Amino acid sequence: MVQAYILIQTEVGKATAVAGTISELPGVLTAEDVTGPYDVIVKAEAETVDELGRMVVARVQKVEGITRTLTCPVVHL
């Protein structure tokens, strides 16, 4: 299982709606509104890195109100 944090910037005033929509997507563990340079932080998981990438591109980035994403895979050193 591969996990990642997805840092999301949204249009002004859209963070709550974006977090709510993303929290319902398969593979999303949590989606939280935050303050700072990003508006929403998502923790997601998938079976493989490729599946995680497909989820981000095909599902997450298509949510209305998102302007930019940054995916940070979790590593265990």
Side-chain angles (χ1 to χ4, degrees), residues 23-53:
S23 68
E24 297 175 8
L25 296 176
V28 171
L29 303 175
T30 61
E32 303 287 341
D33 298 15
V34 296
T35 60
Y38 294 95
D39 303 304
V40 177
I41 296 180
V42 174
K43 186 171 186 184
E45 68 180 4
E47 288 293 323
T48 67
V49 171
D50 289 340
E51 185 181 314
L52 180 68

Side-chain angles (χ1 to χ4, degrees), residues 2 4 12 17-19 21 25 29-30 38 55-56 63 66 69:
V2 177
V12 175
V18 167
T21 300
L25 296 176
L29 303 175
T30 61
Y38 294 95
M55 175 181 38
V56 171
V63 172
I66 291 178
T69 65

Side-chain angles (χ1 to χ4, degrees), residues 1 3 7 11-12 20 24 30 37 42 50 53 57-60 64:
M1 201 54 90
Q3 293 186 337
L7 311 177
E11 296 172 4
V12 175
E24 297 175 8
T30 61
V42 174
D50 289 340
V57 172
R59 295 185 191 137
V60 173
E64 186 177 337

